[in-house]
Amino acid sequence: MSVSREDVLRIAALARIGVTKDRLDALAAELNGILHHVDVLSKLPGPSGDGERVGMSLAPDEPPPVALARTKEEFAPQMRDGFFLVPRLETHDDGSGAA
């Protein structure tokens, strides 16, 4: 498969990219180079079917939880339905709304 000047113009139009006429040949050559490289890579042998991993091992998707310096009971001794109960601030105790 190769990319022509017309293909470059169509791709540019779809991507809404302005391409000057003097860049068409260079862009077509670059895209053809990329396609050639992908073709070469697709012909390389893949991993063996015996389940052996090829390359570096992957890190776990999620890191382990960070251990707290104190237990949750030390800084929030009261809980209800899985939520921490915290006392109201003194500035909010009167309920009058005045600051």
Side-chain angles (χ1 to χ4, degrees), residues 46-67:
S48 60
D50 60 1
E52 182 181 343
R53 290 191 61 94
V54 176
M56 295 177 54
S57 60
L58 300 176
D61 286 339
E62 294 191 24
V66 177

Side-chain angles (χ1 to χ4, degrees), residues 39-89:
D39 186 45
V40 169
L41 290 176
S42 68
K43 293 178 183 173
L44 292 175
S48 60
D50 60 1
E52 182 181 343
R53 290 191 61 94
V54 176
M56 295 177 54
S57 60
L58 300 176
D61 286 339
E62 294 191 24
V66 177
L68 297 174
R70 296 182 290 169
T71 64
K72 63 182 178 186
E73 291 78 16
E74 286 182 87
F75 62 86
Q78 296 178 341
M79 293 189 71
R80 183 177 359 159
D81 299 324
F83 294 97
F84 298 124
L85 296 178
V86 294
R88 294 181 63 92
L89 295 174

Side-chain angles (χ1 to χ4, degrees), residues 17-40:
I17 299 172
V19 176
T20 60
K21 301 281 185 194
D22 57 331
R23 284 280 296 143
L24 287 176
D25 290 327
L27 286 173
E30 289 177 27
L31 288 172
N32 283 321
I34 292 169
L35 289 175
H36 175 70
H37 185 70
V38 170
D39 186 45
V40 169

